[in-house]
Amino acid sequence: MTEKDDLTRIIIGCKKGDGKCFSQIVDAYAGRSYGYFYRLTGNTSVSDDLLSELFVKLVEKIGSYRGGSFESWLFRIATNIFHDYLRSKQRRKKLLEAHQKELESELTEPKKSGGEQLDKLQIQLKKMDEDTRELIMLRFYSGLSFKEIASMRSEPIGTTLAKLHRGLKKLREMME
């Protein structure tokens, strides 16, 4: 039995309400999903909340999964949850400005927050525009293919590749 067959069996079990199958999905995707949320938010508490919401949505929406890439479907839900989180704040622009001020103060005088210090990558990612940051997270923290990301974002694959290439080039320059 292949990994794809196992996933199909698990999804069928989830659609039937089998708690064991839901546990297997959570075990398989919790780490990558948490990493995706953490790199987008930089906040462990918010990431935990978004991860919990993702798996609640999974239980609610598993019946709407109609095949194709399960990971792409799951990370589309994760992306929507993240966007909902930003909209719920009704301060998207203020949030980004606050992060910018926070980064400026951290660059001049790094301090620990909640016992954790943001690493240089996290700081540089926060400086990037939201679209580029999200694209990098989808590729490297969710593990989606370029084709899946392009499909998910409803854009040609060439556009996705170009945006990611420019984003990575900019990130490399920022990390130097």
Side-chain angles (χ1 to χ4, degrees):
M1 188 175 263
T2 67
E3 188 176 316
K4 186 175 181 174
D5 292 337
D6 285 344
L7 183 60
T8 302
R9 179 190 52 76
I10 292 168
I11 291 170
I12 290 169
C14 289
K15 286 183 176 186
K16 292 178 181 177
D18 182 344
K20 211 179 258 188
C21 290
F22 279 112
S23 291
Q24 290 175 313
I25 292 283
V26 169
D27 291 344
Y29 292 99
R32 286 175 42 204
S33 300
Y34 177 84
Y36 174 68
F37 288 133
Y38 181 75
R39 289 297 180 181
L40 286 172
T41 66
N43 184 308
T44 57
S45 178
V46 171
S47 299
D48 286 336
D49 291 344
L50 295 176
L51 182 65
S52 296
E53 189 174 339
L54 173 64
F55 289 117
V56 167
K57 291 278 188 197
L58 174 69
V59 170
E60 293 172 356
K61 297 184 175 283
I62 191 70
S64 70
Y65 174 69
R66 301 283 181 240
S69 169
F70 179 76
E71 290 177 351
S72 185
W73 180 81
L74 182 68
F75 280 99
R76 167 46 64 199
I77 293 172
T79 299
N80 289 341
I81 288 170
F82 175 69
H83 285 268
D84 289 347
Y85 161 74
L86 290 178
R87 277 191 294 274
S88 73
K89 291 294 190 176
Q90 296 182 1
R91 308 181 266 131
R92 190 178 201 156
K93 186 175 181 182
K94 288 181 183 178
L95 178 66
L96 293 175
E97 289 170 359
H99 280 305
Q100 184 62 34
K101 288 178 185 175
E102 178 184 321
L103 287 173
E104 290 170 0
S105 70
E106 287 177 2
L107 289 175
T108 58
E109 189 175 16
K111 48 187 163 179
K112 292 190 177 194
S113 123
E116 297 178 14
Q117 186 173 5
L118 294 177
D119 61 354
K120 186 176 179 181
L121 176 62
Q122 184 67 30
I123 292 169
Q124 300 308 325
L125 282 169
K126 279 187 173 183
K127 288 181 180 179
M128 301 184 92
D129 65 275
E130 183 183 314
D131 188 57
T132 303
R133 184 173 60 241
E134 179 182 303
L135 187 60
I136 290 171
M137 296 305 99
L138 285 170
R139 178 65 183 130
F140 295 101
Y141 289 94
S142 70
L144 296 178
S145 70
F146 296 115
K147 185 177 179 181
E148 290 170 323
I149 295 168
S151 172
M152 190 172 119
R153 293 167 53 98
S154 302
E155 63 186 21
I157 194 167
T159 302
T160 301
L161 288 168
K163 286 179 180 178
L164 184 61
H165 176 73
R166 282 192 301 270
L168 289 174
K169 182 178 178 187
K170 182 178 178 181
L171 183 59
R172 272 189 218 100
E173 291 169 359
M174 293 166 70
M175 292 296 288
E176 291 177 352

